[in-house]
Amino acid sequence: MKVGFAVLAAIVLACLLAPFYASQVSKTDPFRSNVNGTAFGVDVLAENTAGLGLGVTPIGPTWRGPYLLGADTQGRDVAARLLYGGRTSLLIAGCATALCLALAAILGVLSGFVGGAVDTVLAGLLDLLWAFPVYLLAISLSIVLISQDLRIGPLLLTADSLALPILILGVVYVPYVARPIRAQVLALRSSEFIEAAQATGGAPLHILRRHILPQIWPSLIGFAPVVMAMALLTEAALSVLSIGVQAPAASWGTLIADGQALIYTRPMVAIAPGLAVLATVLALNVVGEAWRAALDTRR
Amino acid sequence: MITRLIRSLLVIFGISVLVFLIFFATPGADPAARLAGRGASEEALAAVRHDYGLDRSLPVQYGLLMHRLFIAGDLTSQVNRGQRVVPAVLRAAPVTLSLAVGAAVIWLSAGLAIGLIAAAREGSVWDRAVTALGLIGISIPVFWLGEVVNLLTQSRLHDTWAFRWVPPLGYQPLLQDPATWARGLILPWITLALLYAGVYGRVLRSSLIEAYRQDYIRTARAKGISEARVLLRHALRNALVAVLALFGLDIGALIGGGTLLTEVVFGLRGIGKLTYDALQNLDLPVVMAAVMYASFFVVLANAAVDVLQAALDPRQR
């Protein structure tokens, strides 16, 4: 668990330092193409000489200073873009996780605590969403939301807004968390200490706040790393499908997609962001695993 | 059995309504403008409004769409004018099925093998390796893994003895020549199976260990049954129930996400690649049809897993 947290902290810190890296080390703007640039006396983009001589080959990893991991097809520093992409990916996954947990807590507690018709409708809806494959749901929502700018009242959501992937990823994993929360609330509601609290005249809101929410809290937090891990992977998948983060913004997913065209000539362009996703998601899963194990022994 | 069937039908109906509402009733923009694509002319918008009955009530629109998707099959692409979507989806289905079924066979057998080994050697290096493999498997972006596999087998190591047999990317039909079919799919299968094999091994391991602690195993041994028979007939049968439950869940992730990205990275022209191309062009009718058919397939596959589970586990009948 400590290792997981350490890896996460290191990755977050590195991504936060992205502007510093871009200005001090790579010394080029990672969001502007640098077609005619040079580094260490070599052109950043070299004309192809092999085959038909079409297109360009970007500079490979220099392993020192500028273009540490090479350049992409537009001559932009891959290492700097990796750090900026990490900011976007982590921001989206983090916000989506918070949104997902908040929605799931509200729906799960409402459904389990109020019961009756409310529970029937909400539980049915959650079951339906649960049966709907996450990726297909995310694809449907994304393609609809990015195909036209969205105007809801005074609010304008453009297709390249980061709010869209946050919204979509926040919604699709709600049943994953809300269903177990609901089950837990249901179990608690019929437990003896709640009956005792009711018998001594405790008001429903008081029982909810004093007796139910404190029990829900640890399991809700326990879902955070797992949901964030899934959100990161799904963000990468959607961005690869071109319906996630939209240019000019970059995320680890869009960087993997950018690198696909260069996979045989400059593999580092795609490998580096993939490794970043792998390391972050693995660390999150390790932390989540440890948290769950800790919860299990406590019970 | 009947209740299961009714439930599956209800879920299919619910999902179709949900997809319909997402595409036709999401607030914020005119559905005709969405379906016609960016920068469509007035005439194109009017044609879309007429085709999908957008000036009529939502239930009528839903009925019309279902009719066009599943009965008439005359939904057409907005980008490649005149291309019928439903036949294209059905033509692509064998590719997706080949990929999904083959990968599932590999990861279930691999999961079975490593689960048995890990359970037999509880606490050993093997055991911990299975745990690590499971964690790594669920943490890898599948598209990226496919790219790395391509990099090694198509380029960097292609001229070594290990990967000289790897054919260029693409799909060869099964009925033409099963051998080339399998040769082209083996790396996509392994790529997908890598993501799941570890998790399945782990689940099988914990439920086997759990099963061996139960009284009925002691009873079986006391009856003098051979150790192999205790494992196969009693412990494994019980442990497979948990594996199947997981499999029912993963089919959705597989058909909707796993195969989609794997098809794209390995150039297999299945439903996933069809969806991908439609996403690049914002071709909404194609995306809608692909999502609808894929979800239905997932619900059917889930129902099949349910039936299998009931066959294995009398408590669920």
Side-chain angles (χ1 to χ4, degrees):
Chain A
M1 190 157 180
K2 272 182 197 154
V3 180
F5 268 121
V7 170
L8 281 180
I11 291 172
V12 171
L13 192 68
C15 292
L16 285 177
L17 289 175
F20 176 77
Y21 183 89
S23 66
Q24 296 304 313
V25 185
S26 75
K27 297 191 177 101
T28 48
D29 184 342
F31 291 97
R32 190 170 297 161
S33 57
N34 185 21
V35 181
N36 299 317
T38 56
F40 303 110
V42 184
D43 285 345
V44 170
L45 293 182
E47 298 286 333
N48 270 353
T49 46
L52 294 170
L54 296 173
V56 289
T57 305
I59 189 171
T62 59
W63 301 120
R64 60 200 157 111
Y67 297 103
L68 187 78
L69 300 173
D72 65 6
T73 44
Q74 295 185 44
R76 300 174 295 198
D77 189 315
V78 171
R81 284 178 68 75
L82 181 68
L83 297 180
Y84 272 105
R87 293 179 136 204
T88 315
S89 287
L90 292 171
L91 180 74
I92 290 177
C95 292
T97 305
L99 179 65
C100 171
L101 294 185
L103 286 174
I106 293 171
L107 288 179
V109 171
L110 202 66
S111 184
F113 193 71
V114 177
V118 175
D119 184 38
T120 313
V121 171
L122 285 182
L125 202 66
L126 287 175
D127 280 353
L128 184 64
L129 277 179
W130 177 258
F132 198 170
V134 165
Y135 277 78
L136 294 180
L137 182 58
I139 286 172
S140 308
L141 287 172
S142 310
I143 188 77
V144 165
L145 294 180
I146 66 164
S147 64
Q148 296 284 321
D149 289 348
L150 220 54
R151 192 180 288 282
I152 304 169
L155 204 70
L156 177 72
L157 274 180
T158 52
D160 57 0
S161 161
L162 288 187
L164 289 182
I166 291 174
L167 194 72
I168 291 161
L169 295 174
V171 167
V172 294
Y173 287 110
V174 164
Y176 183 89
V177 182
R179 283 166 42 118
I181 294 290
R182 168 179 173 270
Q184 204 184 344
V185 174
L186 275 179
L188 281 173
R189 212 178 51 158
S190 56
S191 64
E192 282 171 3
F193 75 95
I194 299 286
E195 273 175 27
Q198 280 168 338
T200 52
L205 266 181
H206 169 81
I207 292 176
L208 188 66
R209 224 179 32 230
R210 285 300 300 264
H211 299 293
I212 294 195
L213 290 188
Q215 304 261 359
I216 300 297
W217 207 220
S219 17
L220 199 63
I221 301 287
F223 277 111
V226 187
V227 171
M228 186 160 168
M230 292 192 295
L232 268 173
L233 283 177
T234 312
E235 181 278 312
L238 291 181
S239 294
V240 163
L241 296 174
S242 81
I243 48 174
V245 173
Q246 305 289 313
S251 74
W252 283 336
T254 65
L255 294 183
I256 294 176
D258 288 347
Q260 203 201 353
L262 294 169
I263 189 71
Y264 297 138
T265 47
R266 293 290 178 232
M268 198 45 84
V269 182
I271 286 183
L275 280 179
V277 176
L278 175 59
T280 316
V281 174
L282 191 58
L284 282 167
N285 278 328
V286 167
V287 170
E289 186 92 347
W291 182 273
R292 265 201 307 273
L295 275 187
D296 275 350
T297 45
R298 217 191 53 180
R299 289 216 176 101
Chain B
M1 203 58 208
I2 298 294
T3 49
R4 258 179 239 281
L5 190 71
I6 293 175
R7 211 182 52 200
S8 295
L9 286 177
L10 270 179
V11 170
I12 285 183
F13 174 70
I15 286 182
S16 71
V17 171
L18 201 62
V19 174
F20 164 77
L21 288 177
I22 290 174
F23 279 88
F24 286 82
T26 300
D30 176 15
R34 283 198 182 111
L35 286 162
R38 274 188 192 141
S41 64
E42 263 317 305
E43 295 89 73
L45 283 177
V48 165
R49 272 193 203 103
H50 175 77
D51 279 359
Y52 291 89
L54 293 178
D55 43 3
R56 295 154 82 177
S57 70
L58 279 179
V60 175
Q61 288 179 31
Y62 171 78
L64 204 61
L65 180 70
M66 289 302 121
H67 177 79
R68 299 188 66 189
L69 268 175
F70 295 106
I71 298 165
D74 64 352
L75 203 68
T76 53
S77 156
Q78 278 302 321
V79 176
N80 305 316
R81 296 313 301 259
Q83 186 208 13
R84 293 199 164 200
V85 180
V86 176
V89 169
L90 296 179
R91 261 199 314 277
V95 183
T96 303
L97 274 178
S98 303
L99 179 60
V101 173
V105 168
I106 292 183
W107 95 59
L108 284 176
S109 359
L112 197 66
I114 56 185
L116 283 172
I117 294 174
R121 307 243 182 289
E122 198 185 338
S124 70
V125 182
W126 270 104
D127 193 8
R128 261 176 279 161
V130 171
T131 304
L133 186 68
L135 271 178
I136 294 173
I138 56 169
S139 306
I140 298 184
V142 59
F143 186 83
W144 176 80
L145 181 63
E147 280 189 342
V148 172
V149 168
N150 276 343
L151 172 67
L152 295 178
T153 62
Q154 296 283 340
S155 168
R156 295 300 189 268
L157 300 177
H158 186 66
D159 294 328
T160 64
W161 58 269
F163 296 112
R164 201 167 291 148
W165 56 272
V166 178
L169 300 180
Y171 175 81
Q172 304 297 327
L174 167 67
L175 294 175
Q176 241 167 47
D177 181 3
T180 48
W181 170 80
R183 208 150 54 110
L185 281 170
I186 191 125
L187 285 169
W189 283 338
I190 292 177
T191 303
L192 262 180
L194 269 178
L195 305 184
Y196 297 99
V199 178
Y200 279 71
R202 256 182 103 196
V203 170
L204 186 69
R205 166 198 174 274
S206 2
S207 34
L208 266 181
I209 290 173
E210 177 76 30
Y212 265 109
R213 294 204 184 108
Q214 306 277 323
D215 288 340
Y216 73 95
I217 296 287
R218 205 178 49 199
T219 310
R221 279 186 179 144
K223 284 196 301 186
I225 295 173
S226 75
E227 205 43 42
R229 202 174 154 80
V230 168
L231 173 70
L232 293 178
R233 285 285 302 178
H234 296 273
L236 190 60
R237 181 170 168 172
N238 207 336
L240 279 180
V241 174
V243 172
L244 262 181
L246 186 64
F247 188 60
L249 287 179
D250 278 337
I251 289 174
L254 181 68
I255 302 290
T259 57
L260 200 162
L261 292 159
T262 312
E263 281 173 25
V264 174
V265 76
F266 287 107
L268 306 167
R269 308 200 67 83
I271 298 181
K273 183 69 167 64
L274 192 77
T275 315
Y276 175 79
D277 293 340
L279 289 173
Q280 309 303 303
N281 302 323
L282 294 180
D283 195 351
L284 265 67
V286 179
V287 177
M288 193 163 58
V291 166
M292 212 71 112
Y293 272 87
S295 328
F296 287 2
F297 179 77
V298 170
V299 176
L300 289 180
N302 267 320
V305 168
D306 264 2
V307 170
L308 258 173
Q309 236 178 336
L312 265 181
D313 185 357
R315 285 169 302 185
Q316 297 196 22
R317 272 174 219 162

